[in-house]
């Protein structure tokens, strides 16, 4: 193929479309394009014909009609008088909430499990191996159903939290785990609460600045600042001072048993807890394997080299092992986040009102607009996935080894 | 060395080996190094022992004291209280319903059972033709069959009532073995190729000639293509094969009459030799059998498709690449449950008007497409991991694209991606539980059905443990097999 330029220029013949490598790929692509076009035209034609046969068309105006159903967990106000579009938004927010919290918990458990699997302690390593294998080799749906069964069957009824009942609230009488859900204190934002939260935000930014300054100082002079105590002080002191100076603007509304159920406080439904815990536990097993393989992927010579330079074990971990391990860990980790987000659509099994249950479930059933509903649902998941995976590609290109 | 007589004593024999100091060998050393190395490690050990103990101390007695013979959950509880037990598993539900969990509502082959075990009763009722042939009223037939089923125990029903799925499963093991283990005779691969048709016949039944003719048609397509390729080149052979395929299975010219050949031949053969098994529609399929059917078909079909997509994504033809990339990204970006929902409600809109086909088939197609997109990414990783030198070496040997892929690139790339491929397969197998959401009776759906009966209302753990254990066995086998394969194919020197 490379010596084509040496040959005398041939006149084009029709057979060259098939037998000449220069033209063949063009031929194949033209044929493929024709076939794909035919396929798509056929698909659209079939769809239009079939929809017309049952008296339907493709319109999205159903989104602006009254939803007429209630959603039991809402991050933004919603009543049954609101539109289907708003119901879909509530569902989308619920999906994002459980996915976000799930990613955090799964990472925490997964890193723990992955590191502990590499532990020199025989028993701990075995226990973690059993955990990881059990989680990885059974369907997620079973775990969701099991956690849900635990939450609804093995926890006490609210009535048992009465005086002389069998159950009691935990964490200084503030949190009640019952079969109606977990009840916990709800913060009440008073005057000046915004200022306290703003100070908290400024403190967090201050910690990042502090870390930057400390690192700069170490690189320039070799002196180290006590970053951890300073950060903790920065995190706690200003907020506490502001909290008391402004006269305790944030109060807590505790759940109190009244009638057959708890009143006040924040009710976290069992469906949410079951989905969140099961997703996190299941995904954490995969993350544990990723973390383990990431740490194993850093060759032992790196540790030995760091020790030879006189580094302490924890500095070795922080400065030598982790940066290299992270390059291996992060891409599959993010694809696990992606999986968790998509798996949150199993919310259907426990009645958690996510995007699949509102937009792709009740709305579709009520309006009979399957095509539009599922299309919108698919687009939502697709956009979420593309955002997460482009973040991954951005990170990847940043930490990639620069080779030839 | 010169002998020195000044030395009073020279030892001439070796000292016997001394025992190691206590605590540096044997159990003591192992314990100290692995469980009690330092205070932190000791604390971890104690914590782990506490966790393991608290799990086992509650679950082991519960399982071990389990009650195996009862007809309802309340009876279970009575037995438990009578024995004075704190807690006890009610395995009776598994004992009673395990056939249903395995096979769903797949009909047992009643004529066979009746002939084998109730020949006298069958004669008294008027013979098999009368009872099962529709000669007597439906009520009588149902009465006979239900009396027979009540009389039989589950094991008899298992072996003789479900012989068709069991035979399909046993033959599956035979068909898969030569693929998995290369030291088995290669001739068995012919059986592996024939297996899908045998399994179809065993599971669905109907006329034997449909699977036989489809298999013959495919063989004829391949043979005609090969034969023609010997004379007019590979492209010509491909077209000849395509023409044979179309003539056999479709009617490309729209002429009524001879073509397509398949239904004509089938009609002739059915008329001459009406052999077959009773037809069972896939609505009756369920339980773990369903998971195995969807899982196995998905695995077998998605691998070639996934490899093709991965190659397409690496192609230097922009159109092919673009099509493959968008297919992969769209499939991967949307959860399987949404795809299954699409398969069950929307697919009819996309097909030509009036086409309907089996929900199970639609699910298998969807699961295959879904898994193939994931496989494509795994295989792409393997392709990308190969050094460019391998591609260049293949080209410099004068191999064309397909030969270099088949002989040089794919064997290496697939070897690298074995763990990922098997993980995708495990994921696919686990995801078969999601079909419960579109109304197929998978094992988890059946647990709901069992719980909906008044006898077993409120039973959770036993059913979930049973289903979970079944899935665990299969997935664990697959992951161990992938480790074995990696070891066997390892060619570098370590």
């Amino acid at each position: 193929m490379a010596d084509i330029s040496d040959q005398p220029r041939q006149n084009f013949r029709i057979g060259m479309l098939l037998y000449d490598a220069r033209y063949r790929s063009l031929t194949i692509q033209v044929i493929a394009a024709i076939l794909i076009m035919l396929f798509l035209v056929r698909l659209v034609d079939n769809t239009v014909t079939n929809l017309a046969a049952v008296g339907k068309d493709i319109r999205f105006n159903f989104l602006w009609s009254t939803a007429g159903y209630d959603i039991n967990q809402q991050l933004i106000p919603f009543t049954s008088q609101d539109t289907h579009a708003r119901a879909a938004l509530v569902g989308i927010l619920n999906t994002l909430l459980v996915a976000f919290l799930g990613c955090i918990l799964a990472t925490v458990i997964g890193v723990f499990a992955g590191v502990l699997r590499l532990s020199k302690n025989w028993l701990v390593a075995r226990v973690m191996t059993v955990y990881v294998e059990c989680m990885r080799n059974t369907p997620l749906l079973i775990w969701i159903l099991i956690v849900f069964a635990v939450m609804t069957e093995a926890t006490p009824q609210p009535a048992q939290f009465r005086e002389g009942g069998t159950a009691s609230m935990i964490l200084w009488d503030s949190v009640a785990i019952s079969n109606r859900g977990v009840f916990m204190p709800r913060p009440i934002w008073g005057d000046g609460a915004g200022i306290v939260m703003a100070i908290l935000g400024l403190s967090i930014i201050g910690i990042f600045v502090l870390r930057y300054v400390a690192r700069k100082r170490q690189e320039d002079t070799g002196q180290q600042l006590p970053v951890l105590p300073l950060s903790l002080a920065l995190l706690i002191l200003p907020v506490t001072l502001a909290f008391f100076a402004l006269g305790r603007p944030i109060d807590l509304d505790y759940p109190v048993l009244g009638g057959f159920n708890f009143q006040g406080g924040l009710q976290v439904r069992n469906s949410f807890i079951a989905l969140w815990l099961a997703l996190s536990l299941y995904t954490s097993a995969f993350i544990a394997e990723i973390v383990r393989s990431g740490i194993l992927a850093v060759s032992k010579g790196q540790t030995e080299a760091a020790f030879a330079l006189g580094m302490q074990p924890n500095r070795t971990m922080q400065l030598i092992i982790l940066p290299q391990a992270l390059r291996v860990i992060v891409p599959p980790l993010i694809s696990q986040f992606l999986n968790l987000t998509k798996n949150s659509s199993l919310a259907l099994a426990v009645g958690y009102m996510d995007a699949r249950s509102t937009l792709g479930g009740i709305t579709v059933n009520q309006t009979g607009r399957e095509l539009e509903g599922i299309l919108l649902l698919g687009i939502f998941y697709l956009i979420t996935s593309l955002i997460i995976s482009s973040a991954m590609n951005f990170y990847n290109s940043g930490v990639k080894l620069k080779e030839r | 060395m010169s002998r020195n007589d000044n030395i009073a004593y020279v030892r001439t024999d070796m000292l016997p080996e001394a025992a190691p100091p206590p605590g540096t060998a044997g159990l003591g050393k192992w314990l100290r190094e692995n469980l009690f190395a330092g205070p932190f490690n000791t604390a971890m050990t104690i914590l782990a022992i506490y966790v393991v103990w608290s799990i086992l101390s509650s679950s082991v007695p519960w399982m071990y004291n389990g009650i195996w013979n009862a007809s309802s959950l309340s009876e279970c509880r009575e037995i438990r209280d009578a024995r004075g037990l704190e807690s006890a598993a009610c395995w009776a539900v598994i004992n009673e319903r395990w056939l249903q969990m395995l096979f769903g509502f797949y009909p047992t082959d009643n004529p066979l059972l009746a002939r084998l075990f109730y020949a006298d009763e069958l004669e008294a009722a008027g013979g098999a033709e009368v009872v099962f042939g529709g000669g007597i009223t439906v009520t009588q037939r149902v009465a006979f069959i239900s009396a027979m089923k009540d009389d039989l125990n589950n094991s008899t029903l298992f072996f003789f009532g479900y012989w068709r799925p069991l035979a399909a499963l046993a033959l599956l093991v035979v068909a898969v073995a030569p693929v998995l283990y290369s030291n088995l005779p290669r001739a068995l691969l012919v059986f592996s190729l024939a297996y899908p048709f045998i399994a179809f016949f065993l599971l669905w039944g109907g006329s034997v000639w449909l699977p036989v003719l489809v298999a013959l048609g495919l063989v004829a397509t391949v043979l005609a293509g090969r034969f023609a390729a010997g004379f007019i080149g590979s492209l010509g052979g491909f077209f000849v094969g395509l023409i044979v395929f179309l003539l056999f299975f479709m009617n490309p010219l729209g002429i009524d009459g001879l073509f397509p050949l398949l239904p004509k031949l089938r009609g002739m053969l059915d008329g001459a030799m009406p052999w077959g098994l009773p037809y069972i529609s896939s609505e009756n399929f369920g339980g773990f059998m369903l998971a195995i059917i969807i899982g196995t078909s998905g695995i077998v079909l998605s691998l070639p498709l996934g490899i093709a997509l991965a190659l397409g994504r690496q192609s230097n033809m922009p159109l092919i690449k673009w099509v493959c990339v968008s297919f992969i990204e769209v499939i991967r970006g949307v959860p399987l449950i949404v795809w299954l929902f699409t398969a069950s409600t929307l697919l009819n809109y996309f097909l030509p008007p009036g086409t309907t086909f089996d929900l199970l088939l639609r699910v298998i197609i969807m699961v295959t497409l879904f898994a193939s997109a994931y496989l494509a990414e795994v295989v792409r990783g393997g392709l990308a991991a190969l050094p460019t030198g391998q591609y260049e070496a293949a080209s410099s040997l004068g191999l064309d694209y397909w030969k270099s892929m088949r002989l040089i690139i794919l064997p290496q790339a697939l070897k690298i991606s074995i763990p990922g491929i098997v993980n995708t397969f495990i994921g696919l197998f686990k995801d078969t539980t999601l079909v419960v959401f579109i109304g197929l009776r998978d094992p988890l759906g059946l647990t709901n059905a069992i719980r909906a009966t008044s006898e077993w209302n409120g039973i959770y753990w036993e059913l979930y443990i049973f289903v979970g254990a079944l899935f665990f066995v299969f997935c664990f086998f697959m992951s161990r097999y992938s480790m074995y394969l990696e070891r066997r194919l390892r060619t570098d020197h370590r």
Side-chain angles (χ1 to χ4, degrees):
Chain A
M1 274 186 265
D3 58 353
I4 277 168
S5 57
D6 296 341
Q7 294 172 351
R9 190 177 166 79
Q10 292 173 317
N11 289 327
F12 180 75
R13 281 175 286 104
I14 195 77
M16 285 165 71
L17 280 180
L18 272 184
Y19 295 112
D20 192 318
R22 285 171 296 179
Y23 303 111
R24 187 165 52 197
S25 71
L26 200 68
T27 320
I28 294 173
Q29 287 188 73
V30 168
I31 294 174
I34 293 170
L35 288 178
I36 291 165
M37 291 303 286
L38 280 177
F39 174 73
L40 289 178
V41 166
R42 191 75 197 272
L43 200 70
V44 172
D45 182 53
N46 281 339
T47 311
V48 171
T49 322
N50 283 321
L51 282 174
V54 290
K56 285 182 182 174
D57 50 1
I58 302 177
R59 288 169 74 178
F60 290 93
N61 56 2
F62 72 96
L63 283 174
W64 313 115
S65 57
T66 309
Y69 59 92
D70 284 311
I71 297 177
N72 54 24
Q73 179 187 308
Q74 328 157 343
L75 295 178
I76 53 171
F78 178 83
T79 63
S80 57
Q81 298 307 308
D82 283 316
T83 59
H84 282 296
R86 198 172 171 85
L89 184 63
V90 173
I92 285 172
L93 287 175
N94 282 345
T95 293
L96 294 178
L97 176 76
V98 79
F100 178 70
L101 293 178
C103 287
I104 293 175
L105 188 62
T107 313
V108 172
I109 303 174
V111 170
F112 261 100
V115 171
L116 288 182
R117 256 197 99 172
L118 288 174
S119 161
K120 288 209 170 60
N121 189 318
W122 181 86
L123 186 65
V124 172
R126 286 298 170 286
V127 167
M128 282 302 147
T129 309
V130 170
Y131 167 78
V132 168
E133 291 294 340
C134 281
M135 284 288 160
R136 268 158 41 103
N137 288 322
T138 30
L140 170 61
L141 192 55
I142 291 188
W143 291 114
I144 294 180
L145 292 173
I146 284 179
V147 180
F148 191 64
V150 171
M151 293 303 295
T152 52
E153 299 292 314
T155 52
Q157 293 175 349
Q160 290 179 330
F161 285 90
R162 279 176 213 289
E163 293 288 321
T166 49
S168 58
M169 295 165 78
I170 55 171
L171 291 178
W172 306 284
D173 267 4
S174 62
V175 177
I177 301 173
S178 77
N179 66 350
R180 300 265 187 96
V182 175
F183 295 87
M184 54 175 72
R186 176 207 297 274
I188 303 171
W189 310 100
D191 293 335
I195 301 174
V196 177
M197 294 315 285
I199 288 175
L200 181 66
L202 284 178
S203 303
I204 291 171
I205 296 173
I207 289 172
F208 280 100
V209 174
L210 175 75
R211 286 170 63 103
Y212 177 76
V213 169
R215 195 166 152 182
K216 194 89 184 149
R217 190 183 150 102
Q218 194 198 353
E219 281 172 3
D220 291 344
T221 67
Q223 291 169 321
Q224 292 177 358
L225 283 178
V227 177
L228 187 68
L230 282 179
S231 309
L232 279 179
L234 202 56
L235 186 68
I236 296 167
L237 282 181
V239 172
T240 320
L241 285 178
F243 182 69
F244 287 106
L246 290 166
R248 300 178 167 202
I250 304 173
D251 204 0
L252 289 175
D253 173 24
Y254 288 95
V256 183
L257 192 60
F260 293 103
N261 206 346
F262 283 93
Q263 311 289 323
L266 188 69
Q267 181 191 11
V268 185
R269 289 183 174 272
N270 279 333
S271 53
F272 172 77
I273 302 250
L275 186 67
W276 176 50
L277 282 183
L279 279 174
S280 309
L281 291 175
Y282 181 77
T283 314
S284 75
F286 291 87
I287 292 179
E289 285 298 273
I290 292 167
V291 169
R292 188 175 77 104
S293 65
I295 293 176
L296 286 178
V298 180
S299 77
K300 201 155 181 285
Q302 297 286 326
T303 319
E304 290 165 355
F307 286 163
L309 288 174
M311 280 185 159
Q312 297 293 316
N314 58 344
R315 308 279 300 167
T316 308
M317 195 60 172
Q318 198 184 339
L319 297 174
I320 308 291
I321 310 289
L322 270 187
Q324 298 187 64
L326 277 181
R327 184 183 292 140
V328 183
I329 290 173
V330 167
L333 181 70
I334 296 197
S335 96
Q336 285 305 324
F337 290 167
L338 216 63
N339 281 348
L340 191 147
T341 310
K342 284 182 286 178
N343 282 337
S344 71
S345 56
L346 294 187
L348 196 61
V350 288
Y352 178 71
M353 299 296 274
D354 73 330
R356 166 70 181 78
S357 302
T358 55
L359 176 63
I362 303 178
T363 293
V364 160
N365 289 342
Q366 283 192 357
T367 58
R369 299 263 171 198
E370 307 97 357
L371 192 65
E372 295 90 333
I374 293 183
L375 195 65
L376 289 174
L377 187 66
I379 288 173
F380 157 66
Y381 280 115
L382 198 57
I383 289 175
T384 316
S385 301
L386 290 181
I387 288 174
I388 296 179
S389 61
S390 54
M392 175 175 84
N393 291 340
F394 181 72
Y395 175 87
N396 266 348
S397 58
V399 300
K400 198 166 65 180
L401 277 179
K402 307 291 183 287
E403 285 182 274
R404 65 170 167 124
Chain B
M1 263 212 292
S2 64
R3 191 188 169 98
N4 194 337
D5 292 329
N6 292 334
I7 293 171
Y9 172 72
V10 174
R11 192 174 187 94
T12 51
D13 53 338
M14 291 284 283
L15 270 175
E17 271 183 25
T24 55
L27 186 67
K29 172 178 183 257
W30 187 88
L31 280 178
R32 196 158 44 83
E33 282 187 355
N34 290 303
L35 294 180
F36 302 106
F40 178 68
N41 217 328
T42 310
M44 294 246 288
T45 305
I46 293 170
L47 187 69
I49 290 175
Y50 173 72
V51 169
V52 171
W53 170 251
S54 54
I55 293 173
L56 290 186
S57 65
S58 56
S59 62
V60 168
W62 178 79
M63 288 191 188
Y64 181 73
N65 293 327
I67 293 150
W68 285 93
N69 288 308
S71 61
S72 70
L73 185 59
S74 51
E75 200 186 323
C76 257
R77 287 183 177 148
E78 279 166 21
I79 296 175
R80 181 191 66 190
D81 293 342
R83 287 189 194 163
L85 294 170
E86 186 89 340
S87 70
C90 187
W91 299 119
V93 66
I94 309 292
N95 197 10
E96 190 187 297
R97 299 297 183 105
W98 61 277
L99 280 178
Q100 201 185 4
M101 305 275 280
L102 292 184
F103 300 106
F105 297 105
Y106 194 87
T108 51
D109 199 53
N110 297 309
L112 179 77
L113 276 174
R115 281 199 201 99
L116 280 176
F117 295 97
Y118 298 92
D120 299 342
E121 287 85 344
L122 198 63
E123 276 318 307
E129 281 71 34
V130 177
V131 174
F132 295 102
I136 53 173
T137 61
V138 175
T139 349
Q140 278 172 295
R141 186 188 315 163
V142 168
F144 180 86
I145 290 170
S146 70
M148 185 173 79
K149 272 192 177 172
D150 286 345
D151 202 39
L152 284 169
N153 60 26
N154 273 344
S155 328
T156 317
L157 212 53
F158 175 71
F159 284 112
F160 295 98
Y162 294 101
W163 69 270
R164 284 165 57 175
L166 280 183
L169 184 66
L171 292 178
L172 174 68
V173 175
V174 178
V176 162
V179 182
L180 295 189
Y181 298 103
S182 58
N183 44 6
L184 290 170
R186 298 291 84 195
L188 279 174
L189 283 172
V190 177
F191 178 74
S192 307
L193 284 177
Y195 175 74
F197 305 99
I198 300 171
F200 173 83
F201 176 63
L202 281 172
L203 291 171
W204 275 268
S207 160
V208 72
W209 297 114
L210 179 65
V212 167
L213 284 173
V214 171
L216 286 180
L218 292 177
V219 169
T221 306
V222 173
L223 285 185
R226 285 256 173 115
F227 184 69
F231 296 106
I232 49 174
S234 58
L235 199 69
F238 172 75
F239 279 113
V240 170
L242 190 67
I243 290 167
V244 173
F245 181 82
L246 288 176
L247 291 182
F248 205 83
F249 292 103
M250 288 173 198
N251 191 3
L253 304 174
I255 311 165
D256 287 336
L258 192 57
F259 300 112
L261 285 170
L262 179 73
K264 300 283 179 295
L265 284 174
R266 189 187 159 190
M268 275 161 51
L269 287 167
D270 273 344
M273 294 169 277
W275 298 338
L277 287 170
Y279 173 73
I280 292 166
S281 106
S282 55
E283 284 163 19
N284 298 309
F285 288 23
F288 210 64
M289 185 181 107
L290 191 69
I292 294 182
I293 292 175
I294 299 175
T296 317
S297 344
I299 285 171
V300 170
L301 297 172
S302 65
L303 188 60
L305 198 57
I307 294 173
L309 281 171
L311 292 178
R313 198 176 176 158
Q314 292 247 312
S315 163
N316 47 16
M317 292 183 247
L319 182 83
I320 306 286
K321 184 177 178 174
W322 179 80
V323 168
C324 289
V325 168
S326 28
F327 179 84
I328 292 170
E329 290 302 328
V330 167
I331 294 270
R332 275 162 45 95
V334 178
L336 177 60
I337 187 169
V338 174
W339 288 121
L340 289 177
F341 202 46
T342 311
S344 73
T345 59
L346 295 185
L347 210 60
N348 280 339
Y349 288 138
F350 302 141
L351 295 170
T355 328
T356 50
F357 63 102
D358 203 69
L359 182 60
L360 183 57
L361 190 58
R362 283 186 266 170
V363 166
I364 288 176
I365 292 173
M366 252 332 169
V367 166
T368 303
L369 293 180
F370 189 77
S372 66
Y374 278 80
L375 272 181
E377 284 300 274
V378 172
V379 175
R380 182 174 76 116
L383 289 172
L386 278 193
T388 330
Q390 295 291 328
Y391 291 86
E392 292 163 354
S395 297
S396 68
L397 284 175
L399 299 176
D400 67 5
Y401 178 79
W402 291 110
K403 277 200 178 125
S404 66
M405 285 298 145
R406 192 161 55 86
L407 300 172
I408 311 281
I409 305 299
L410 278 180
Q412 300 184 67
L414 290 180
K415 188 176 89 180
I416 298 173
S417 20
I418 286 171
I421 291 175
V422 176
N423 276 345
T424 313
F425 286 164
I426 293 177
L428 187 157
F429 190 63
K430 287 186 295 181
D431 280 346
T432 56
T433 49
L434 301 195
V435 298
V436 65
F437 292 118
I438 54 168
L440 291 180
R441 295 192 201 88
D442 88 310
L444 282 175
L446 285 168
T447 64
N448 289 334
I450 290 171
R451 215 174 299 116
T453 61
S454 58
E455 293 93 10
W456 302 113
N457 192 3
I459 197 156
Y460 291 91
W461 295 103
E462 294 82 354
L463 295 172
Y464 290 150
I465 288 174
F466 182 66
V467 177
L470 280 177
F471 272 100
F472 183 87
V473 168
F474 274 77
C475 298
F476 196 70
F477 167 75
M478 282 198 253
S479 70
R480 292 296 121 159
Y481 174 75
S482 94
M483 288 181 186
Y484 156 81
L485 200 59
E486 267 181 87
R487 266 201 316 278
R488 206 188 48 148
L489 296 180
R490 179 174 288 165
T491 45
D492 56 349
H493 305 287
R494 286 197 182 188

